[in-house]
């Protein structure tokens, strides 16, 4: 899924370099090209579509950019989330938004969704820590194949959707499987089960 381009660069060089096509992240100064599978894209598209519909139904003040970056606090790192829900009014305070569609403050974000692929360690460890440090209030990990480590999704491993909510500066997690209705602080009226999301990719 991921191909690294081995040449350390700064975040500023990265946002100047990013081409019009393709999906790229910067991890510790190294450019990483994201190559998602078809199933990964189906889950991502379905999740995004349902959240957009909920936003429109309730007239919520959110935006859903598909190529915006989140600049992490860790050294020369920027993520391209699978689904990014931004608070529309907060973008005026983002210093890199107009120039490079980049988010630097957790307060600008309502929700981040990452769909798990073979690089599941990044979603459950690296990104989790960075999103928590930034103060992003809600983070979903959609593990539709049950790839994550047993310490994250239990034993036996099975498809799991983890919703991390920021409480007093630390993430608290609730997990959803099968016909569990997803409980989202951001989308409190969302009528969606874990299985509905998982089946989008199967």
């Amino acid at each position: 899924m991921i191909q690294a381009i081995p040449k350390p660069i700064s975040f500023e060089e990265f946002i100047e370099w990013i081409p019009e096509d393709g999906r790229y992240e910067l991890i510790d100064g190294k450019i990483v090209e994201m190559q998602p599978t078809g199933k990964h894209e189906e889950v991502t598209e379905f999740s995004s579509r349902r959240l957009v519909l909920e936003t429109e139904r309730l007239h919520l003040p959110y935006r859903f950019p598909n190529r915006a970056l989140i600049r992490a606090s860790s050294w020369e790192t920027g993520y391209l989330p699978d689904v990014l829900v931004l608070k529309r009014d907060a973008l005026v305070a983002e210093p890199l938004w107009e120039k490079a569609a980049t988010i630097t403050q957790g307060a600008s974000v309502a929700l981040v969704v990452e769909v798990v692929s073979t690089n599941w360690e990044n979603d459950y460890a690296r990104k989790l820590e960075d999103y928590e440090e930034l103060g992003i209030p809600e983070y979903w990990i959609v593990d539709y194949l049950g790839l994550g480590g047993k310490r994250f999704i239990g034993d036996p491993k099975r498809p799991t959707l983890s919703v991390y909510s920021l409480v007093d500066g630390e993430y608290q997690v609730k997990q959803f499987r099968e016909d569990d209705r997803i409980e989202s602080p951001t989308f409190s009226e969302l009528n969606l089960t874990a299985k509905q999301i998982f089946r989008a990719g199967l």
Side-chain angles (χ1 to χ4, degrees):
M1 174 180 173
I2 300 177
Q3 174 186 358
I5 302 171
K7 183 191 174 189
I9 63 172
S10 69
F11 187 84
E12 288 72 20
E13 290 172 321
F14 175 62
I15 59 177
E16 291 291 339
W17 169 86
I18 294 176
E20 292 284 327
D21 56 347
R23 293 175 60 84
Y24 300 90
E25 292 186 330
L26 186 70
I27 309 294
D28 294 332
K30 294 183 179 178
I31 297 171
V32 179
E33 182 178 8
M34 312 302 290
Q35 294 290 344
T37 65
K39 299 304 183 186
H40 177 284
E41 289 297 273
E42 289 166 13
V43 171
T44 298
E45 180 184 3
F46 177 82
S47 303
S48 179
R49 186 169 66 247
R50 289 301 300 264
L51 295 177
V52 168
L53 289 172
E54 188 72 358
T55 295
E56 292 173 347
R57 183 179 77 84
L58 298 175
H59 306 288
L60 300 172
Y62 299 142
R63 298 186 63 180
F64 290 77
N66 57 19
R67 289 181 56 85
L69 293 165
I70 295 179
R71 183 173 188 173
S73 302
S74 54
W75 186 79
E76 305 302 356
T77 295
Y79 301 121
L80 183 66
D82 290 314
V83 181
L84 177 58
V85 185
L86 297 180
K87 300 173 185 176
R88 187 182 302 273
D89 294 343
L91 297 179
V92 295
E94 282 289 351
L96 295 177
W97 179 252
E98 289 298 325
K99 175 185 177 184
T102 297
I103 298 301
T104 62
Q105 303 167 53
S108 300
V109 181
L111 169 66
V112 170
V113 178
E114 296 286 5
V115 178
V116 173
S117 294
T118 53
N119 63 325
W120 59 265
E121 295 93 340
N122 281 345
D123 298 321
Y124 283 103
R126 180 79 185 254
K127 290 181 181 181
L128 180 71
E129 291 177 5
D130 282 338
Y131 292 159
E132 181 183 67
E133 185 176 350
L134 279 170
I136 291 173
E138 186 173 351
Y139 172 39
W140 292 11
I141 300 178
V142 181
D143 194 345
Y144 70 98
L145 290 174
L147 297 175
K150 293 176 183 177
R151 68 185 181 278
F152 298 113
I153 62 173
D155 186 11
K157 298 200 299 184
R158 55 192 176 130
T160 303
L161 192 150
S162 302
V163 174
Y164 290 85
S165 303
L166 203 65
V167 178
D168 296 328
E170 294 184 5
Y171 276 143
Q172 306 294 319
V173 64
K174 286 188 177 181
Q175 295 186 317
F176 305 91
R177 302 176 180 92
E178 298 291 336
D179 292 317
D180 293 341
R181 179 179 170 272
I182 298 164
E183 299 173 20
S184 166
T186 302
F187 294 93
S188 59
E189 297 183 25
L190 186 65
N191 186 16
L192 185 65
T193 68
K195 184 188 289 185
Q196 286 175 297
I197 291 182
F198 300 153
R199 282 186 172 172
L202 298 173

